[in-house]
Amino acid sequence: MAYANHRNQINVSGLPNQELSDLRAVNPLPPPTFVPGPPLGVIYVNPYFGRVVPQLVPVIPPLRFALNPAVVVRMEVERSMSLLQLMENEGLVPSPEEEIKRQYVIDNLKQIVMEWIKRIAYQRHLPRNYIRAASATILTYGSYGLGVHNSESDIDGLCVGPYFATMAEDFFIVLRNMLASRPEVSDIHCVKDAKVPLMRFKFDGISVDLPYAQLNVISVPDNVDILNPFFLSNIDETSWKSLSGVRANRSILQLVPNLEIFQSMLRCVKLWAKRRGVYGNLLGFLGGVHLAILAAFVCQRHPNASLGALISIFFKTFAFWHWPTPVVLQDGITQAVLPAEMRYLMPIQLPCSPYEYCHSNITQSTFSRIRREFLRGNALTMDLLRPDFDWNTLFVPFPYSKKYTQFVKICLLASNQGELADWVGWVKSRFRCLLVKLEEVEGFCDPNPTEFVDVDVAEPNIVLYWGLQPGRSEFVDIDSVEEDFMKSITNGYQAPPGKMALSIVQASQLPKSAAEFDGGGRTKGTKACWRIPDFNQQGAPVYSKHLPRDLVGYLATSGNVEYYNVGN
């Protein structure tokens, strides 16, 4: 809270020592003019003075006042510490016991692949010195490789083997059988038709995704430098794709100025993306590698910023980014922008490959959702020094059942859990086709990443609910959409396909568990704030009609935003 006393000084309530700043000394501008304030209940958020409820509202930009730099630093440290505490409370930081368990899994997998590669070398009747020298290893990437995993995270590991170990026979048959024979391994599945073929299984209860890359060498050491061009010569396209995740991780870790700050920032950004429903590449949103590069991009440009400041800068940077201008990390190499990759709505360049971009399934609908969430994040974090600032407002779950009145219900079924896992993985890899088709007939579709189970259906199933454009009274021929998509997903599927059913449901028909995903509307303890406005079809901002006309004009010209409940 801030107010002026009879000496034209400002008292900033909530700041240490109640420091005073003289308005005449710190603000040479002429006195502001005032108009009647907003109606009762509408709160004006002054980004410099904190949250106030004034009788008069200025129609010029808010007055800036000088704060003691030491106070600012201390408040930024406090904000960063409170964010770290929030992450710990959310379970985003694994315990030492969990870290030991994951390391145990990795060490055991490395031993298994070493036994495997020796067996393959012997079966190939290679010379004895080749057999002795033969080696393979496991390289981690993804959240575990970046050091931002939590207790629920999978392990993304890459099996890297020498030239004589093939994927079709040696990896998917011999290694698969060796893993299946281990008592620690369960639920093993081979996903051969994916863009990056892999084995998926659980080791001691921890889920592991394990693709394979074949290098043109006799031995792959445990400390192989995967960024060295020597190891990348004459490899096949599948191996190149499998290696891209590891190479991107290694490059990012080398390019960020402060690894610990980057890891904390990325944990926060991933939590935000998941809570707000904009996480998941298969559904057209941002994947882990996208968020890692965006976070590293901000860290590179602000190497001395605190964690809290980096989060604020992150949202400010990408809320107003001029897409499709690519996001490119600086690594000292002059990088060209390929016109072919500009088809992506949000192009993000892989740091290890100057001429490659992160694969993206982003469509017009998901692009709009991501941008709105960036804008919301910016509005909520633009003033970290506000006395009543609360990080929890940033992570309020997106209220699907309140935002949308109609949903596409997608139900995927199979005869058993094993077949269902393969079927769901296959259909998800082609979800972009369904999303584009729904956009064609409906104009907008918001895929909720959360998966549910219909307990009233006897067969094993997975159910998803995708929000449809508000204001549309009827949906156009859902049956034809289902027929077209079913044809596309059954084409090329090696096993007997499962079932899929599309239907339209109202928000009132959502299962209780789906409604609970919203967090019960406005979460207890959240604050009201100002929002970046919605945009009409012509791209013009649409502000709340209950605001005074002069205030609306000021907001439109100053970049300030419309009042709303942060739960939305």
Side-chain angles (χ1 to χ4, degrees), residues 250-314:
R250 298 284 175 89
S251 297
I252 291 171
L253 295 177
Q254 291 180 7
L255 293 173
V256 292
N258 186 315
L259 180 57
E260 186 175 352
I261 290 289
F262 163 75
Q263 290 172 329
S264 297
M265 179 187 179
L266 185 53
R267 289 184 194 275
C268 297
V269 169
K270 290 183 71 173
L271 177 64
W272 159 80
K274 291 178 179 179
R275 290 282 177 85
R276 300 303 296 176
V278 290
Y279 184 82
N281 185 44
L282 292 179
L283 289 171
F285 293 115
L286 298 167
V289 68
H290 302 98
L291 292 175
I293 294 174
L294 296 184
F297 181 86
V298 173
C299 288
Q300 271 196 333
R301 281 151 182 76
H302 305 274
N304 299 316
S306 66
L307 173 61
L310 285 172
I311 296 295
S312 177
I313 295 168
F314 174 86

Side-chain angles (χ1 to χ4, degrees), residues 147-183:
V148 296
H149 56 290
N150 57 47
S151 58
E152 299 178 356
S153 299
D154 299 344
I155 293 178
D156 292 306
L158 174 66
C159 178
V160 187
Y163 75 94
F164 57 83
T166 65
M167 175 180 288
E169 296 179 7
D170 302 322
F171 179 75
F172 277 124
I173 297 178
V174 180
L175 182 57
R176 188 262 179 206
N177 292 338
M178 290 178 65
L179 288 169
S181 67
R182 301 278 299 217

Side-chain angles (χ1 to χ4, degrees), residues 514-560:
E516 287 175 349
F517 177 78
D518 298 345
R522 180 168 178 170
T523 304
K524 182 179 179 180
T526 58
K527 306 294 191 299
C529 68
W530 292 86
R531 172 181 77 168
I532 294 295
D534 291 334
F535 296 88
N536 60 23
Q537 293 181 351
Q538 288 73 40
V542 180
Y543 291 96
S544 173
K545 294 181 180 179
H546 67 261
L547 296 179
R549 181 175 300 177
D550 290 335
L551 179 57
V552 170
Y554 160 65
L555 294 173
T557 57
S558 69
N560 251 310

Side-chain angles (χ1 to χ4, degrees), residues 343-535:
R343 68 182 184 275
Y344 291 144
L345 293 171
M346 303 180 75
I348 301 172
Q349 198 170 72
L350 287 168
C352 57
S353 304
Y355 305 110
E356 287 188 33
Y357 287 74
C358 299
H359 179 265
S360 174
N361 288 317
I362 293 174
T363 69
Q364 288 292 343
S365 292
T366 56
F367 175 66
S368 173
R369 273 280 283 121
I370 294 168
R371 285 196 68 231
R372 288 179 186 275
E373 290 304 324
F374 278 141
L375 292 167
R376 174 185 180 273
N378 177 64
L380 292 174
T381 60
M382 63 191 303
D383 183 14
L384 299 180
L385 303 186
R386 196 174 70 242
D388 63 347
F389 179 83
D390 185 359
W391 284 111
N392 287 290
T393 59
L394 182 64
F395 305 107
V396 172
F398 185 81
Y400 289 94
S401 63
K402 296 175 177 60
K403 279 292 185 181
Y404 306 113
T405 57
Q406 287 185 320
F407 295 80
V408 172
K409 178 182 178 181
I410 306 168
C411 186
L412 303 175
L413 309 96
S415 59
N416 58 65
Q417 289 293 343
E419 292 183 3
L420 178 65
D422 294 339
W423 176 239
V424 170
W426 174 265
V427 176
K428 279 185 175 181
S429 68
R430 284 145 182 81
F431 262 167
R432 190 180 191 280
C433 298
L434 175 60
L435 184 54
V436 170
K437 182 64 176 177
L438 291 170
E439 287 180 356
E440 290 175 356
V441 297
E442 182 68 8
F444 175 85
C445 182
D446 183 0
N448 182 351
T450 307
E451 298 178 358
F452 304 92
V453 175
D454 192 337
V455 296
D456 296 326
V457 177
E459 297 174 282
N461 67 87
I462 290 293
V463 179
L464 297 102
Y465 297 92
W466 293 4
L468 296 176
Q469 181 171 327
R472 296 290 291 268
S473 57
E474 287 188 13
F475 186 81
V476 181
D477 198 2
I478 186 65
D479 293 332
S480 65
V481 174
E482 178 181 332
E483 182 180 354
D484 291 346
F485 185 58
M486 194 66 186
K487 288 179 181 178
S488 68
I489 59 179
T490 54
N491 183 27
Y493 191 61
Q494 300 300 320
K499 301 176 184 177
M500 183 194 69
L502 300 184
S503 59
I504 303 299
V505 298
Q506 305 299 315
S508 59
Q509 298 173 289
L510 292 176
K512 183 179 179 181
S513 57
E516 287 175 349
F517 177 78
D518 298 345
R522 180 168 178 170
T523 304
K524 182 179 179 180
T526 58
K527 306 294 191 299
C529 68
W530 292 86
R531 172 181 77 168
I532 294 295
D534 291 334
F535 296 88

Side-chain angles (χ1 to χ4, degrees), residues 76-302:
E76 281 197 359
V77 171
E78 291 175 356
R79 295 290 184 263
S80 298
M81 294 300 293
S82 65
L83 184 55
L84 289 171
Q85 184 62 52
L86 184 150
M87 287 190 294
E88 185 173 344
N89 295 341
E90 292 289 345
L92 299 184
V93 182
S95 66
E97 294 78 15
E98 291 167 339
E99 291 281 31
I100 292 173
K101 186 176 181 180
R102 276 171 166 70
Q103 189 59 53
Y104 170 80
V105 172
I106 295 298
D107 292 342
N108 275 267
L109 286 175
K110 287 184 176 181
Q111 290 180 4
I112 293 171
V113 299
M114 280 296 291
E115 295 173 9
W116 165 71
I117 205 62
K118 298 290 187 183
R119 180 181 301 183
I120 297 302
Y122 179 80
Q123 291 174 352
R124 292 284 187 272
H125 303 292
L126 297 181
R128 288 185 179 181
N129 59 325
Y130 276 35
I131 296 175
R132 286 194 299 268
S135 64
T137 192
I138 299 289
L139 302 177
T140 58
Y141 64 104
S143 61
Y144 185 83
L146 289 172
V148 296
H149 56 290
N150 57 47
S151 58
E152 299 178 356
S153 299
D154 299 344
I155 293 178
D156 292 306
L158 174 66
C159 178
V160 187
Y163 75 94
F164 57 83
T166 65
M167 175 180 288
E169 296 179 7
D170 302 322
F171 179 75
F172 277 124
I173 297 178
V174 180
L175 182 57
R176 188 262 179 206
N177 292 338
M178 290 178 65
L179 288 169
S181 67
R182 301 278 299 217
E184 310 98 318
V185 176
S186 61
D187 301 333
I188 187 166
H189 299 283
C190 295
V191 186
K192 301 180 181 180
D193 299 314
K195 293 180 180 178
V196 178
L198 54 83
M199 279 193 286
R200 180 168 291 143
F201 54 90
K202 290 185 178 180
F203 196 107
D204 254 3
I206 298 178
S207 297
V208 179
D209 283 353
L210 190 68
Y212 179 63
Q214 188 178 2
L215 301 185
N216 191 28
V217 294
I218 187 64
S219 176
V220 180
D222 191 47
N223 61 346
V224 57
D225 181 7
I226 212 64
L227 298 177
N228 189 331
F230 169 78
F231 292 103
L232 304 176
S233 59
N234 300 320
I235 64 173
D236 59 83
E237 183 178 355
T238 301
S239 295
W240 178 267
K241 291 179 180 178
S242 298
L243 286 163
S244 65
V246 178
R247 298 177 65 238
N249 269 31
R250 298 284 175 89
S251 297
I252 291 171
L253 295 177
Q254 291 180 7
L255 293 173
V256 292
N258 186 315
L259 180 57
E260 186 175 352
I261 290 289
F262 163 75
Q263 290 172 329
S264 297
M265 179 187 179
L266 185 53
R267 289 184 194 275
C268 297
V269 169
K270 290 183 71 173
L271 177 64
W272 159 80
K274 291 178 179 179
R275 290 282 177 85
R276 300 303 296 176
V278 290
Y279 184 82
N281 185 44
L282 292 179
L283 289 171
F285 293 115
L286 298 167
V289 68
H290 302 98
L291 292 175
I293 294 174
L294 296 184
F297 181 86
V298 173
C299 288
Q300 271 196 333
R301 281 151 182 76
H302 305 274

